[in-house]
């Protein structure tokens, strides 16, 4: 009898132990919380405080969840995500640009399909600006959510324009006349620095959208079918190189970087600079709301793309969830929190980073220049994703290296020959 009692007692003890073990499967080492890893790219002082506080606020609302947060620079996150994806160890939640940067993860089955969550919560899905939410769609499914949006404009220094009696240009001819006037007045027309190579992609990506129709671009930007034989691509590069050859971009452009020349623009050393709405807060801080203005990038006279007048370069910055995440529901809950209306309004107000929600940019959380810029952007019917996000990495590297050489004299035809060669190699690998 004693043996039977002992056996039952042991069985009960084992059962309790097993139940406790099952409970720990959903917990961290403390036995109280689950842990989600989060990789982001906002290490700058003006941004990181907001994101750290947002995470703390989420954890307070969800005491059973612990967010392990890592925050690194743009270039570092590109390299780290590639390494982690290859090793099958992506963070639970991570930052990703749109276009091909995100599609490569979607194609490989590396990230969670959020479509079922959005179908279940249509209010969440419909809260985003459609043009930016679409940047995370692959084969009809949503694989990420945008938390930050950006549109490309040409900015101008109001004092420099006033001193030279210049009006804001609305056509390509007027734009070139402004450049000539500034050059003749010993003012560098356009601030430009390309030591990091990526800045050329903003110009060429915009001109590609002007010169090449959407159907052709989609085919060429897809790794398995890209050819880049449309003459519009060569025209796009030549249009950019012409600005340099005419002396409108300044001297020694390959030895300066973007951050240097934007400081110089704010100090009145240049008349204009190409930049994105996500960076407007820097200029407002450095120059005041009345110190600078913006205008739509004029369309080159010979541009014939089907959307030439209604398309602008821009895009979203997104958060995705790893397909291997053990706690997808909690990870989605975190994304919902970070992209809620309350949080989006706070993000823009505290950091100047424009959110991607309908009605998310207001006079209360932003300055008048950014509000006006987003109102102006309503005239655009399509957004062309940043070129270095739209195309395969091998093509990005070819474009950037050759365009840097182009600023030192390499021809548009030779640049495109190298791009076409790289596109063929990429296509063969992705067949």
């Amino acid at each position: 009898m004693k043996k039977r009692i002992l056996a039952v007692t042991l069985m009960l003890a084992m059962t309790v132990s097993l139940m406790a073990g099952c409970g720990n499967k959903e917990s961290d080492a403390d036995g109280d919380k689950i842990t989600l890893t989060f990789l982001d790219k906002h290490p700058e002082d003006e941004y990181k405080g907001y994101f750290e506080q947002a995470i703390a606020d989420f954890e307070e609302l969800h005491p059973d969840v612990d967010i392990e947060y890592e925050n690194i620079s743009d270039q570092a996150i590109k390299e780290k995500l590639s390494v982690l994806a290859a090793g099958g160890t992506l963070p639970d939640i991570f930052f990703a640009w749109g276009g091909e940067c995100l599609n490569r993860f979607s194609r490989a089955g590396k990230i969670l399909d959020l479509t079922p969550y959005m179908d279940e919560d249509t209010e969440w899905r419909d809260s985003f600006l459609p043009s930016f939410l679409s940047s995370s769609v692959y084969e009809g499914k949503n694989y990420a959510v945008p938390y930050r949006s950006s549109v490309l404009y040409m900015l101008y220094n109001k004092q420099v324009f006033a001193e030279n009696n210049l009006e804001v240009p609305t056509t390509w001819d007027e734009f070139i006349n402004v450049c000539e006037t500034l050059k003749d007045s010993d003012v560098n027309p356009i601030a430009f620095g390309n030591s990091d190579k990526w800045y050329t992609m903003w110009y060429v990506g915009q001109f590609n959208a002007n010169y090449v129709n959407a159907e052709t671009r989609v085919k060429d930007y897809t790794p398995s079918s890209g050819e880049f034989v449309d003459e519009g691509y060569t025209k796009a590069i030549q249009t950019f190189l012409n600005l340099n050859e005419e002396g409108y971009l300044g001297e020694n452009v390959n030895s300066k970087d973007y951050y240097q020349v934007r400081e110089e623009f704010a100090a009145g050393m240049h008349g204009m600079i190409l930049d994105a709405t996500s960076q407007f807060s820097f200029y407002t801080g450095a120059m005041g709301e009345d110190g600078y203005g913006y205008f739509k990038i004029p369309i080159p006279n010979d541009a014939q793309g089907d959307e030439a007048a209604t398309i602008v370069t821009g895009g979203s910055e997104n958060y995705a969830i790893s397909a291997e995440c053990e706690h997808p529901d909690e990870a989605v809950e975190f994304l919902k929190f970070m992209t809620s209306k309350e949080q989006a309004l706070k993000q823009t107000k505290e950091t100047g980073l424009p959110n991607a929600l309908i009605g998310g940019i207001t006079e209360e959380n932003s300055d008048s220049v950014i509000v006006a810029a987003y109102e102006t952007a309503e005239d655009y019917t399509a957004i062309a994703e940043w070129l270095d996000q739209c195309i395969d990495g091998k093509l990005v590297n070819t474009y950037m290296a050759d365009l840097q050489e182009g600023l030192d004299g390499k021809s548009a035809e030779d640049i495109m020959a190298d791009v076409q060669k790289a596109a063929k190699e990429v296509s063969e690998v992705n067949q």
Side-chain angles (χ1 to χ4, degrees):
M1 184 70 175
K2 289 181 179 179
K3 289 182 179 180
R4 289 184 59 191
I5 293 172
L6 179 61
V8 171
T9 302
L10 288 172
M11 288 179 63
L12 287 171
M14 290 174 64
T15 301
V16 170
S17 177
L18 287 170
M19 289 177 66
C22 291
N24 284 339
K25 188 176 180 181
E26 294 294 314
S27 305
D28 65 9
D30 296 329
D32 297 321
K33 298 182 179 182
I34 65 168
T35 299
L36 295 173
T37 55
F38 176 32
L39 179 62
D40 203 5
K41 59 144 232 112
H42 293 95
E44 300 88 353
D45 289 339
E46 63 265 38
Y47 303 138
K48 67 179 183 180
Y50 160 76
F51 290 98
E52 290 170 351
Q53 185 60 54
I55 290 168
D57 291 343
F58 175 81
E59 290 176 333
E60 185 175 351
L61 291 171
H62 300 81
D64 58 330
V65 180
D66 183 42
I67 306 291
E68 287 188 357
Y69 182 46
E70 184 178 5
N71 188 5
I72 58 180
S73 68
D74 285 32
Q75 188 58 37
I77 201 169
K78 292 177 185 177
E79 297 168 357
K80 184 160 186 170
L81 283 175
S82 295
V83 172
L84 293 176
T89 55
L90 282 170
D92 293 316
I93 305 161
F94 60 94
F95 165 91
W97 287 274
E100 179 57 21
C101 284
L102 185 64
N103 291 344
R104 64 191 175 113
F105 294 120
S106 305
R107 268 198 309 275
K110 298 284 188 181
I111 51 180
L112 183 70
D113 175 13
L114 298 178
T115 310
Y117 293 95
M118 290 190 166
D119 288 344
E120 183 179 337
D121 188 350
T122 56
E123 184 177 351
W124 181 45
R125 179 194 65 200
D126 296 340
S127 67
F128 299 99
L129 289 160
S131 56
F132 294 111
L133 183 61
S134 67
S135 72
S136 63
V137 173
Y138 180 74
E139 294 187 344
K141 298 179 180 180
N142 269 99
Y143 285 92
V145 291
Y147 72 93
R148 178 183 179 188
S149 61
S150 202
V151 177
L152 202 59
Y153 284 108
M154 189 67 75
L155 280 61
Y156 67 97
N157 187 303
K158 288 187 174 182
Q159 181 176 343
V160 171
F161 265 47
E163 290 172 350
N164 290 275
N165 299 312
L166 292 171
E167 298 291 333
V168 174
T170 58
T171 67
W172 188 255
D173 287 338
E174 291 174 356
F175 175 64
I176 296 300
N177 286 336
V178 167
C179 290
E180 280 293 326
T181 300
L182 290 171
K183 182 181 173 184
D184 291 343
S185 301
D186 294 325
V187 176
N188 187 58
I190 305 172
F192 186 86
N194 192 53
S195 62
D196 293 329
K197 299 181 183 178
W198 61 265
Y199 200 25
T200 56
M201 301 292 272
W202 282 7
Y203 282 85
V204 174
Q206 175 64 36
F207 293 146
N208 278 356
N210 292 149
Y211 281 103
V212 183
N213 66 52
E215 183 179 355
T216 301
R217 291 198 318 276
V218 169
K219 181 182 76 68
D220 288 328
Y221 290 2
T222 301
S224 61
S225 59
E227 295 179 310
F228 290 84
V229 295
D230 190 292
E231 66 175 358
Y233 293 116
T234 304
K235 290 182 177 180
I237 290 176
Q238 189 59 60
T239 299
F240 167 67
L241 294 181
N242 287 344
L243 296 175
N244 183 56
E245 291 166 6
E246 293 297 331
Y248 300 151
L249 302 182
E251 299 178 351
N252 304 315
V253 293
N254 282 328
S255 65
K256 302 176 181 179
D257 69 20
Y258 158 78
Y259 295 99
Q260 175 186 344
V261 298
R262 76 172 188 173
E263 292 279 358
E264 293 174 353
F265 167 79
M269 296 170 62
H270 310 280
M272 297 174 285
I273 188 170
L274 188 69
D275 217 330
T277 50
S278 58
Q279 303 302 315
F280 276 24
S281 59
F282 162 78
Y283 298 103
T284 298
M287 307 169 71
E289 293 182 29
D290 296 326
Y292 73 104
Y294 70 92
F295 57 89
K296 289 184 176 182
I297 304 163
I299 306 161
N301 292 333
D302 57 342
Q304 297 179 7
D306 57 2
E307 301 167 320
T310 59
I311 190 167
V312 65
T313 296
S316 61
E317 295 184 350
N318 311 282
Y319 288 139
I321 298 173
S322 168
E324 301 301 318
C325 178
E326 295 183 2
H327 312 289
D329 292 347
E330 288 81 1
V332 170
E333 194 64 31
F334 178 68
L335 296 192
K336 287 185 178 183
F337 173 81
M338 293 297 286
T339 58
S340 65
K341 188 67 169 287
E342 179 182 358
Q343 204 62 38
L345 293 171
K346 185 184 295 186
Q347 170 189 299
T348 300
K349 184 174 184 178
E350 294 185 6
T351 69
L353 300 176
N355 62 72
L357 295 190
I358 295 172
I361 311 294
T362 70
E363 293 283 359
E364 285 70 39
N365 72 343
S366 189
D367 64 64
S368 60
V369 184
I370 296 178
V371 172
Y374 272 83
E375 290 176 351
T376 301
E378 292 175 1
D379 293 338
Y380 289 118
T381 59
I383 290 178
E385 286 284 340
W386 312 109
L387 185 57
D388 57 354
Q389 297 173 22
C390 288
I391 59 179
D392 182 85
K394 183 179 181 67
L395 281 166
V396 171
N397 292 334
T398 300
Y399 251 119
M400 292 196 301
D402 275 45
L403 286 168
Q404 191 172 59
E405 292 179 21
L407 292 167
D408 287 330
K410 189 168 187 173
S411 72
E413 289 77 13
D414 287 344
I415 292 172
M416 279 314 303
D418 288 345
V419 171
Q420 290 161 6
K421 179 182 178 182
K424 184 177 180 181
E425 294 172 358
V426 170
S427 179
E428 290 173 350
V429 170
N430 286 275
Q431 291 296 330

